Every structure is written in structure tokens, then in C-alpha cells.
């Protein structure tokens, strides 16, 4: 039995053949004190009905942005 027989493509279409929808992405980066947290706080408080997902990758010992998001 081959893979095509086991895998019903009508029920589970391949991610490579389904249409992709573009999702806007903004990357915030900068030196310490450059305003990243201020910008992040502004975006979250003034989202104007947009759904926002945030990924935080902090390197410091104290997680400032993670603390902001946990509220």
C-alpha cells in the first residue's frame, strides 16, 4: 500500500498546495533604552481592533517586556 492510499488528500490537503494568506509582521529590535518597551506598550494599548500576537525573546536577567505582557 502506498502513501497516497493511506493519506486522504480530500480530507487533509497538503500545506504545500493550500493557498497561503499573508500575515503582516513587525520586528522590534534595538539597544537598551531605545524605546522598544514603550513602542510595544503603545501598540498593545492602541490596537484599534486588530488582533496582535507578541513573541518575546529577552536576553537580560530581568524580563521587562515579559512582565508587561503578563498583565
Amino acid at each position: 500500500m502506498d502513501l497516497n492510499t493511506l493519506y486522504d488528500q480530500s480530507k487533509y490537503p497538503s500545506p504545500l498546495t493550500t493557498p497561503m494568506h499573508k500575515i503582516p509582521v513587525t520586528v522590534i529590535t534595538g539597544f537598551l533604552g531605545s524605546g522598544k518597551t514603550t513602542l510595544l506598550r503603545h501598540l498593545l494599548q492602541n490596537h484599534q481592533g486588530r488582533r496582535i500576537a507578541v513573541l518575546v525573546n529577552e536576553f537580560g536577567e530581568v524580563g521587562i517586556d515579559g512582565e508587561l505582557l503578563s498583565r
Side-chain angles (χ1 to χ4, degrees):
M1 202 180 287
D2 67 355
L3 183 60
N4 289 329
T5 307
L6 295 173
Y7 182 72
D8 184 0
Q9 291 182 353
S10 65
K11 282 178 126 175
Y12 309 103
S14 168
L16 299 176
T17 60
T18 55
M20 303 269 294
H21 300 284
K22 293 182 180 182
I23 300 172
V25 174
T26 300
V27 177
I28 302 171
T29 183
F31 294 104
L32 182 65
S34 64
K36 299 178 300 292
T37 302
T38 302
L39 176 59
L40 179 60
R41 183 179 291 119
H42 175 76
L43 291 172
L44 292 174
Q45 290 174 348
N46 302 294
H47 56 83
Q48 299 176 350
R50 293 179 294 231
R51 296 185 319 167
I52 297 176
V54 178
L55 296 166
V56 178
N57 185 12
E58 294 185 315
F59 290 102
E61 291 181 21
V62 178
I64 297 170
D65 291 331
E67 173 80 19
L68 169 70
L69 296 173
S70 66
R71 295 181 204 170

